[in-house]
Amino acid sequence: MERPGVLFARRLDEYGDAPALITPDGTVTYGELAARVEARARQLGGIRRLVLICGANDVETIATYLAALAAGHPVLLAPGDKAAGVDALIAAYRPDVVVRRDCSGRMAVEEVHAGSAHVLHPDLALLLSTSGSTGSPKLVRLSHSNVQSNAESIAEYLDIRSGDRAVTTLPMHYCYGLSVIHSHLLRGAALVLTSLSVADADFWELFRTHGGTNFAGVPYTFDLLDRVGFDALDLPGLRYVTQAGGRLAPDRVRKYAELGRRRGWEFFVMYGQTEATARMAYLPPELATTHPHTIGRAIPGGSFRIEAVTDAPEDIGELVYSGPNVMLGYAEGPEDLRLGDVLGGELRTGDLARCRRDGLYEVVGRRSRFAKVYGLRIDLALVESTLAEHGHRSCCVGGAEELIAAVESGGDLEGARQVAARAAGLPVGAVRVCAVDELPRTATGKPDYSAVTALARRPEPTQRACPDGRADADALRALYTEVLGCPNVTDDSSFVSLGGDSLSYVRMSLRLEQLLGYLPENWHTTRIRDFTPRRGRRRPSVETNVLLRAVAIVLIAGSHIHLFTLLGGAHVLLGVAGYNFARFHLSSAGRNERLRHTLVSVGRIAVPSMVWLGCVIALTGEYRITSAFLLNGILGPPGWTIEWRYWFVEAIVYILLAVVVLLCIPVVDRTERTYPFLFPMGLVAVGLLTRYGVIDIDDTRNRILTASVVFWFFALGWAAAKATTMWHRICVTAAIVATVPGFFFGDTRREIIVIGGLCLLVWLRSVRCPTVLSRVAGILASASLYIYVTHFQVYLPLRDDHPWPALVLSLLVGVLYWQVVTFVLQRDRRAALWSAGRRLLRWERPPIPTMSTPNTAR
């Protein structure tokens, strides 16, 4: 008798040196993966045990999962990003082994029982949540043959080949994402592991770099693809795209099928449930344009039938599926793990459907109380019963992008929202609670779900709390309005979509951290509705670019005052400016939106500088009038004069204007979006033409201060922000180390400071430090431009006799000027510059919000 285990997991070594898993750190071949699987299997032991694994798209997790499948250990696959859900599953099922990341981020195998505390059926291979929710005790029991047969069917109709490379877009613990892993490893194809969103330009750079041939998406994925201009991306290796996880509107199915036909790739629409391991039907690509409203035909080895339903039209009934991939049954507790097949290979899907004359099946509705929100299957009855356990009488319905719960008023509505979110496994921002005096009922006394859906169309009557319960969305919207001076803030707004830039970034981060109690990662591209709850204690840190801005301005002022001689801070700031330009202005928004945002930022740099210099000239006559208009670099006298003190401000303004003009050219804009890393590296090469004198700059004394010569520092910072892989970072670092030496006329110390600062920008995203230090750094970074502009007038009278007070006073005056400018802009939320930008581009479309990848499989 053959030992239990999933066949493809035991035969990985058959593909030898072919790539299996591709990561930013390197490639793991099938032979190497098989060795890791064998080592993990020995660690799991020879006694068959229940193994809980926290799913994640990384090498160690996948290797451990395959080891358990190969050795015959039943796997309970849990959502690795939801600690509360994992703890709930552990409490409910008492696994013998728990595999998850420890506090240091390392994979830890915790042996709870030396043997097994359970009676495990010989066929049991995998346990998956019925809804993907966090901690729901109801699990789907899948057998070894379920997993193997479904992987074979999917690989067959998709024609997966050994040369294929699928880039991961879905969580491993979601059956759709897991089926991508199974079917590709079955055929010896490769998986490119990443957690990047398809809305991130770096995802497509990764896709091209590693020769991606396919990716999977749920309906929400295609919303993001529309926003990033997927139809214009150059993806020469793309063979096919798959869609499942919820119904995609027929017109969009047709649109993507036609796009694929034009661009040489196929579009597969698929239908499935966790209870059938993953897939039950697929729509052949050649039929997608003519039959986009259908789910197609059964997968190889499977079949459908329509069972009559009372009160349904004659040709409509419940869709029933038969096949070797149908689950053994459900488990609602550890005692069910001993059960075998209780369904006989037949699954009632709960969907109402018809079989057309051409043999294709069309789903027309649902019988059961389930809904799909962002592609996640939600058990509405479970949510309602959970709310009832907490004293909330409710009626729940699901929309495409939110769960709506009508709750009888008189209780803690925000508490009800939190409970519903936990029960459904959704972010709190995806749950809406409507307070009602009495739950709506039909004439027969049954819950009136259509009335609840209608309630959701009314303005929301309750405050929407931020996920950590400390601040509601109204407070967040008010904060964004206050800091950015933009009146039209919604829950779908993000810092970037509202035109945030480096000048407002630090102030916003400090205020946001104060409001939320922590600063979420990638908050600047996260929608207000998607801020996630705080999990555990977070050590205070400051972003590297913020710390560099703070340190650089202190070095600049201190060196000018002659407290020390540590030059190079201004050139590091040029790199930081390029880095922040790439982060804040190169979003997925259209050309016109990018132009407006950049012009507003240029105005926020230029206008306060011009106002200060104009006042200084009016009071002292110390500078030429060209300085007040930031034209010294163009119209000023040759050679060094005091007007060159403000070279840095002029350089930033000139460079930003030149770049924005360049990106207004459609072909250049498309090229930057298609090759987000190679484009700035190309600009580095162009900038080196003036750096090395290929294009000569006459004034050799001022060449290290001239915008056209120092542009390459800006481009290096831009490239650093777009460097997402190890090789990208190595390339940028090599460019820095190779080109900076010799630029500062033999000033080695200056070169070391510039190289060190730019390399930190490439390799280190944040630095842990005490909270007080991070706050001080944030204030100095926010005020860095204003300190630079004002410090010449502050320190000069004090430099000789009182250098330290001169430094402190220079910093304080700059911070004060920053506060004055901020106050003036806030008095008119639209601000003069904002209004000028809108008038200039009055014809443009509204800004497109920058979206984040949801935490769950959508």
Side-chain angles (χ1 to χ4, degrees):
M1 180 178 178
E2 188 177 18
R3 65 188 174 94
V6 177
L7 194 58
F8 74 80
R10 300 209 305 261
R11 294 182 173 178
L12 298 171
D13 58 349
E14 293 180 358
Y15 296 105
D17 294 331
L21 306 176
I22 300 171
T23 75
D25 298 324
T27 299
V28 178
T29 67
Y30 271 90
E32 293 167 341
L33 179 58
R36 292 191 187 210
V37 167
E38 185 177 353
R40 280 293 188 188
R42 287 195 299 268
Q43 187 177 5
L44 293 175
I47 300 175
R48 193 161 177 262
R49 297 186 290 180
L50 178 62
V51 180
L52 183 144
I53 299 177
C54 295
N57 289 327
D58 60 60
V59 173
E60 287 303 316
T61 302
I62 292 175
T64 305
Y65 169 73
L66 293 172
L69 289 188
H73 299 290
V75 176
L76 199 174
L77 196 55
D81 58 346
K82 297 184 181 299
V86 173
D87 291 340
L89 287 172
I90 291 174
Y93 281 89
R94 305 189 307 278
D96 303 311
V97 180
V98 175
V99 182
R100 56 180 164 181
R101 298 281 176 182
D102 59 21
C103 57
S104 65
R106 295 182 178 179
M107 179 69 72
V109 178
E110 179 186 351
E111 189 175 48
V112 181
H113 305 116
S116 178
H118 309 284
V119 177
L120 304 170
H121 193 276
D123 294 339
L124 183 61
L126 181 60
L127 295 161
L128 295 177
S129 172
T130 57
S131 62
S133 63
T134 59
S136 172
K138 189 174 183 179
L139 303 177
V140 167
R141 296 183 293 113
L142 299 173
S143 69
H144 305 100
S145 61
N146 289 157
V147 175
Q148 181 73 21
S149 65
N150 205 226
E152 290 174 352
S153 295
I154 294 170
E156 179 181 342
Y157 72 73
L158 290 181
D159 185 26
I160 297 177
R161 306 166 188 174
S162 59
D164 279 335
R165 296 190 174 189
V167 184
T168 56
T169 52
L170 301 170
M172 178 186 180
H173 68 267
Y174 177 35
C175 70
Y176 186 10
L178 192 62
S179 72
V180 174
I181 296 174
H182 290 170
S183 56
H184 282 74
L185 294 180
L186 174 84
R187 287 287 181 92
L191 297 164
V192 182
L193 305 181
T194 181
S195 58
L196 293 171
S197 165
V198 296
D200 194 326
D202 296 333
F203 175 91
W204 301 109
E205 178 69 16
L206 182 75
F207 194 96
R208 283 184 290 267
T209 300
H210 293 297
T213 63
N214 66 89
F215 65 92
V218 296
Y220 179 73
T221 306
F222 294 88
D223 292 340
L224 298 179
L225 293 179
D226 289 344
R227 291 184 174 96
V228 301
F230 174 72
D231 56 350
L233 294 180
D234 181 22
L235 303 171
L238 182 61
R239 283 210 312 121
Y240 63 87
V241 177
T242 65
Q243 183 273 319
R247 183 176 184 270
L248 191 65
D251 60 329
R252 303 188 70 200
V253 171
R254 185 181 292 108
K255 167 190 169 183
Y256 276 93
E258 292 174 346
L259 174 63
R261 184 173 297 177
R262 293 196 305 271
R263 302 298 293 271
W265 49 265
E266 295 183 312
F267 185 56
F268 286 86
V269 175
M270 307 187 301
Y271 166 82
Q273 292 179 2
T274 309
E275 289 85 345
T277 310
R279 303 275 71 80
M280 292 183 285
Y282 74 102
L283 179 63
E286 64 272 16
L287 301 179
T289 55
T290 55
H291 301 82
H293 52 291
T294 71
I295 62 170
R297 59 175 67 113
I299 65 172
S303 63
F304 286 117
R305 67 179 177 87
I306 301 295
E307 184 172 281
V309 174
T310 305
D311 297 330
E314 184 177 350
D315 65 334
I316 292 177
E318 182 174 8
L319 186 65
V320 181
Y321 173 80
S322 298
N325 53 312
V326 172
M327 65 175 179
L328 300 173
Y330 291 112
E332 300 192 19
E335 65 279 357
D336 294 332
L337 303 183
R338 70 180 69 196
L339 301 177
D341 186 359
V342 298
L343 297 179
E346 187 172 85
L347 176 67
R348 297 178 182 276
T349 66
D351 286 324
L352 297 176
R354 64 164 61 94
C355 181
R356 297 157 40 93
R357 291 182 179 179
D358 53 15
L360 301 180
Y361 286 85
E362 179 185 0
V363 173
V364 298
R366 297 190 63 79
R367 291 193 72 188
S368 58
R369 290 281 294 127
F370 283 90
K372 282 200 173 182
V373 181
Y374 288 121
L376 183 67
R377 192 162 177 248
I378 307 298
D379 186 341
L380 297 175
L382 174 64
V383 176
E384 291 173 353
S385 64
T386 304
L387 284 167
E389 291 173 3
H390 288 78
H392 303 291
R393 296 184 62 189
S394 66
C395 182
C396 299
V397 296
E401 296 184 353
E402 64 178 358
L403 171 68
I404 301 120
V407 177
E408 289 188 350
S409 56
D412 178 10
L413 295 180
E414 187 49 42
R417 190 163 176 252
Q418 299 280 346
V419 170
R422 287 195 299 270
L426 291 170
V428 178
V431 177
R432 182 172 181 182
V433 171
C434 301
V436 294
D437 294 331
E438 186 176 351
L439 293 178
R441 303 280 179 181
T442 65
T444 60
K446 296 180 179 180
D448 189 347
Y449 295 110
S450 61
V452 176
T453 303
L455 281 174
R457 301 192 186 104
R458 302 193 321 215
E460 189 172 351
T462 60
Q463 287 188 334
R464 302 190 63 175
C466 190
D468 68 349
R470 298 179 58 185
D472 60 24
D474 289 337
L476 286 167
R477 290 192 296 269
L479 176 61
Y480 276 61
T481 299
E482 174 190 350
V483 174
L484 297 179
C486 179
N488 301 316
V489 181
T490 70
D491 284 352
D492 289 320
S493 300
S494 72
F495 178 81
V496 169
S497 73
L498 292 172
D501 55 20
S502 59
L503 294 177
S504 53
Y505 176 83
V506 182
R507 180 166 178 253
M508 175 63 84
S509 67
L510 293 174
R511 293 287 301 278
L512 190 62
E513 183 176 13
Q514 183 179 10
L515 183 62
L516 297 177
Y518 79 107
L519 190 64
E521 186 178 359
N522 296 323
W523 66 267
H524 60 291
T525 57
T526 301
R527 298 181 304 174
I528 289 176
R529 71 164 67 249
D530 290 334
F531 283 118
T532 55
R534 181 178 185 177
R535 297 186 180 94
R537 183 175 181 178
R538 299 179 184 237
R539 297 181 63 179
S541 62
V542 60
E543 291 190 42
T544 302
N545 77 91
V546 174
L547 186 61
L548 286 175
R549 287 167 64 182
V551 171
I553 196 62
V554 173
L555 293 184
I556 291 169
S559 297
H560 288 168
I561 296 169
H562 299 163
L563 278 171
F564 40 74
T565 304
L566 295 172
L567 302 174
H571 291 82
V572 172
L573 287 180
L574 282 171
V576 173
Y579 181 88
N580 286 328
F581 172 79
R583 293 180 75 199
F584 305 134
H585 298 295
L586 299 183
S587 66
S588 60
R591 262 198 329 274
N592 296 326
E593 190 67 16
R594 284 182 172 187
L595 172 61
R596 181 175 65 82
H597 286 174
T598 306
L599 290 178
V600 170
S601 293
V602 170
R604 294 186 63 196
I605 295 170
V607 172
S609 302
M610 293 165 65
V611 169
W612 180 269
L613 280 168
C615 293
V616 170
I617 292 172
L619 293 174
T620 66
E622 188 175 8
Y623 300 95
R624 295 172 180 262
I625 192 63
T626 51
S627 294
F629 294 98
L630 303 181
L631 294 174
N632 179 67
I634 300 174
L635 303 176
W640 170 260
T641 62
I642 60 172
E643 280 79 8
W644 278 93
R645 289 173 176 168
Y646 293 95
W647 71 270
F648 174 78
V649 178
E650 292 191 359
I652 289 294
V653 171
Y654 294 172
I655 289 171
L656 286 175
L657 290 175
V659 168
V660 78
V661 169
L662 183 65
L663 291 178
C664 280
I665 303 172
V667 66
V668 176
D669 179 74
R670 289 195 299 270
T671 302
E672 185 279 324
R673 294 174 191 269
T674 306
Y675 304 102
F677 175 71
L678 294 179
F679 186 85
M681 289 301 291
L683 292 181
V684 172
V686 172
L688 292 176
L689 296 177
T690 54
R691 182 260 183 267
Y692 286 109
V694 177
I695 299 176
D696 191 35
I697 301 299
D698 293 335
D699 194 345
T700 58
R701 290 176 297 172
N702 294 342
R703 66 184 304 273
I704 66 171
L705 311 180
T706 303
S708 58
V709 178
V710 299
F711 167 74
W712 121 83
F713 287 103
F714 181 91
L716 283 172
W718 182 343
K722 295 299 181 180
T724 58
T725 69
M726 179 69 69
W727 284 111
H728 287 172
R729 295 187 179 96
I730 291 174
C731 287
V732 180
T733 304
I736 294 169
V737 174
T739 58
V740 172
F743 182 68
F744 296 106
F745 309 110
D747 189 343
T748 304
R749 181 187 298 177
R750 192 174 193 174
E751 291 170 354
I752 291 174
I753 290 174
V754 174
I755 291 173
L758 294 179
C759 286
L760 284 175
L761 204 60
V762 174
W763 291 98
L764 203 61
R765 292 300 187 230
S766 63
V767 179
R768 290 177 176 173
C769 63
T771 302
V772 173
L773 182 59
S774 68
R775 294 293 173 87
V776 172
I779 293 172
L780 292 177
S782 297
S784 56
L785 170 70
Y786 307 95
I787 295 171
Y788 186 92
V789 169
T790 61
H791 81 290
F792 294 105
Q793 283 70 51
V794 178
Y795 78 77
L796 283 171
L798 302 172
R799 178 172 62 183
D800 295 335
D801 297 326
H802 307 287
W804 281 107
L807 175 61
V808 173
L809 191 59
S810 294
L811 300 178
L812 289 177
V813 170
V815 171
L816 179 61
Y817 188 43
W818 164 52
Q819 290 294 315
V820 170
V821 171
T822 301
F823 175 77
V824 171
L825 290 177
Q826 285 180 346
R827 291 202 58 179
D828 180 0
R829 289 179 177 174
R830 297 294 292 275
L833 293 173
W834 185 277
S835 299
R838 282 191 174 278
R839 286 196 299 272
L840 179 64
L841 297 170
R842 187 186 302 275
W843 47 272
E844 70 177 354
R845 291 177 296 179
I848 301 174
T850 300
M851 309 295 285
S852 62
T853 304
N855 294 329
T856 54
R858 297 181 178 180

